[in-house]
Amino acid sequence: MKGPAGKYAWTVTVGEKGQIVIPKQAREIFGIKPGDSLILLGDEERGLAIPPKSALSQLAAAIFDQPKEDH
């Protein structure tokens, strides 16, 4: 499904083993190849996100460089 320029949305189905298939168009646009590692981010209030692999190093730095909160 195509939205505004550069914006996309796809639907996927979760299989019995909890697996999803990333649509071909999404794999082509984002350069996802077999064997690539992706990061799945989750927020209980906002949902799930799978950012493009080009953002992984920036995301890792943002996640692991943040100060820990006291609980």
Side-chain angles (χ1 to χ4, degrees), residues 12-66:
V12 298
T13 301
V14 178
E16 290 183 25
K17 295 182 181 181
Q19 298 170 320
I20 63 169
V21 174
I22 299 170
K24 180 180 179 184
Q25 183 185 31
R27 294 191 315 267
E28 290 173 348
I29 289 169
F30 293 102
I32 300 169
K33 306 284 186 230
D36 283 352
S37 293
L38 303 175
I39 186 168
L40 179 67
L41 303 176
D43 180 303
E44 290 184 2
E45 293 179 15
R46 298 179 72 191
L48 296 172
I50 305 173
K53 60 186 175 184
S54 60
L56 289 180
S57 61
Q58 293 171 347
L59 286 167
I63 291 168
F64 294 112
D65 291 343
Q66 290 194 9

